[in-house]
Amino acid sequence: MNYELHLLVYFAIYVIVALSLNIVVGYCGLITLSHASYFAIGAYACSLAMLKLHWAFFPATLLGVSISAVLSLALSIPSWRFKGDQFVLVSLVVQVVILSLLNNWTNPRFEFGTLQNLTNGSFGIVGIPRPSLFGTTLDTIPSMAILAVTLMLGCGLLAFLLKASPWGRLLKCIRDDELAARGLGKNVRMAKVQALAIACGMAAVAGALYATYVGYIDPSAAGIDQSILMLCYVIVGGVGNFRGPIVGVFVLLAIPEALRFAHVPDASAANLQLIAYGALLITLMHVRPQGLAGEYRIR
């Protein structure tokens, strides 16, 4: 039973990530390769607030969401002028900068007053406590599964309401024809700022949940491979609607578990997993470019 609940926790975490990324990719039409860095920011901010400041889980998570939302300006401001491949490169620069900061905050050149050795460099942060609610520590897998599903449902409801709102329809208009949206007098720049802030904040929630569940976080969580995997969740499932990212997370999480049940040796499982991901993406690009459950084809 704990195995199924463990998978449920990971499913909930990455559904939050995929739904948040879908706001940017599916509704705004902006492909970003820096989403994992905001996931890591939420994880680090929550972990440090709980360990060093002794904050509770939800205030610490709110701190991570706030920091990620503010740092999303590094993406939203360039999005006013850069689109397509140029915006992808800008997001890659943001990814590299944040990853470098997480790796190098042990270096004296990166120390600011009392903020010394903040991230512990490549060694990461260990001993991250589990969340506590009403004086009860959620130190079991079932209790963490309940928290993860609750946060997933909350973020999912937010994403659904945003999609169905006039603001969500404005994002789709910007995606399809930004010039027409400007011609209608819409504040396109502010809409992009809001969309990226919400998406990065939601990714921070997932990062905080991940860090407290695993009890450890290191800079690899902000790696480019993680950003590509998050983008695959959205592309495989399908962008531009609510169900697509959920389907994508389910399918891509099911592949490694299927290899596990097939008793594939660990030495080969990682390579076979990458082959399966690549084959699935290539097949979808030819057969169903809009994804398994999507309604919009990325151009």
Side-chain angles (χ1 to χ4, degrees):
M1 186 64 178
N2 280 345
Y3 171 72
E4 290 83 358
L5 293 176
H6 170 75
L7 291 181
L8 180 60
V9 172
Y10 273 91
F11 177 77
I13 290 171
Y14 289 112
V15 163
I16 296 173
V17 171
L19 289 174
S20 65
L21 186 55
N22 190 43
I23 295 175
V24 180
V25 178
Y27 301 152
C28 284
L30 298 171
I31 299 178
T32 171
L33 290 177
S34 63
H35 213 57
S37 60
Y38 293 97
F39 175 89
I41 286 171
Y44 271 93
C46 178
S47 303
L48 292 170
M50 294 178 72
L51 285 171
K52 295 183 178 293
L53 303 178
H54 307 291
W55 286 14
F57 172 73
F58 285 107
T61 301
L62 185 59
L63 175 65
V65 170
S66 302
I67 294 174
S68 292
V70 171
L71 292 181
S72 70
L73 292 172
L75 282 176
S76 57
I77 293 178
S79 73
W80 297 352
R81 291 186 176 274
F82 298 107
K83 299 177 181 65
D85 297 340
Q86 293 176 326
F87 181 78
V88 173
L89 290 176
V90 170
S91 70
L92 186 59
V93 170
V94 173
Q95 171 83 18
V96 171
V97 169
I98 293 177
L99 179 61
S100 297
L101 285 174
L102 296 178
N103 268 312
N104 293 287
W105 208 305
T106 57
N107 192 307
R109 290 176 297 176
F110 288 89
E111 294 177 357
F112 303 98
T114 59
L115 300 179
Q116 298 180 359
N117 195 19
L118 190 66
T119 65
N120 202 28
S122 59
F123 295 102
I125 299 174
V126 298
I128 303 170
R130 287 284 180 88
S132 296
L133 295 176
F134 307 110
T136 302
T137 302
L138 307 181
D139 54 359
T140 63
I141 295 180
S143 60
M144 283 299 297
I146 293 173
L147 175 63
V149 171
T150 302
L151 290 176
M152 178 188 71
L153 293 176
C155 292
L157 179 61
L158 174 63
F160 181 80
L161 293 176
L162 290 175
K163 170 187 175 294
S165 68
W167 181 79
R169 291 191 290 273
L170 170 60
L171 291 185
K172 289 186 177 182
C173 178
I174 294 172
R175 176 196 69 191
D176 295 334
D177 194 333
E178 182 174 334
L179 186 60
R182 293 179 184 274
L184 291 172
K186 302 299 182 180
N187 192 338
V188 172
R189 290 183 173 181
M190 183 55 65
K192 290 182 178 180
V193 170
Q194 293 168 343
L196 282 161
I198 292 172
C200 294
M202 286 177 61
V205 172
L209 184 59
Y210 174 85
T212 52
Y213 178 65
V214 176
Y216 172 75
I217 189 69
D218 70 342
S220 66
I224 184 63
D225 56 332
Q226 293 300 312
S227 285
I228 294 174
L229 180 59
M230 292 173 182
L231 188 59
C232 287
Y233 289 144
V234 180
I235 294 176
V236 169
V239 299
N241 63 13
F242 182 77
R243 65 185 179 275
I246 301 175
V247 173
V249 172
F250 179 82
V251 170
L252 292 186
L253 284 184
I255 290 176
E257 300 310 315
L259 294 175
R260 188 191 309 274
F261 282 107
H263 302 292
V264 176
D266 292 341
S268 304
N271 293 330
L272 286 176
Q273 180 179 335
L274 292 177
I275 292 172
Y277 286 172
L280 180 59
L281 284 172
I282 293 172
T283 303
L284 283 175
M285 290 300 102
H286 286 280
V287 177
R288 189 173 172 81
Q290 67 270 37
L292 293 174
E295 63 182 27
Y296 172 73
R297 177 175 176 176
I298 296 179
R299 293 191 293 267

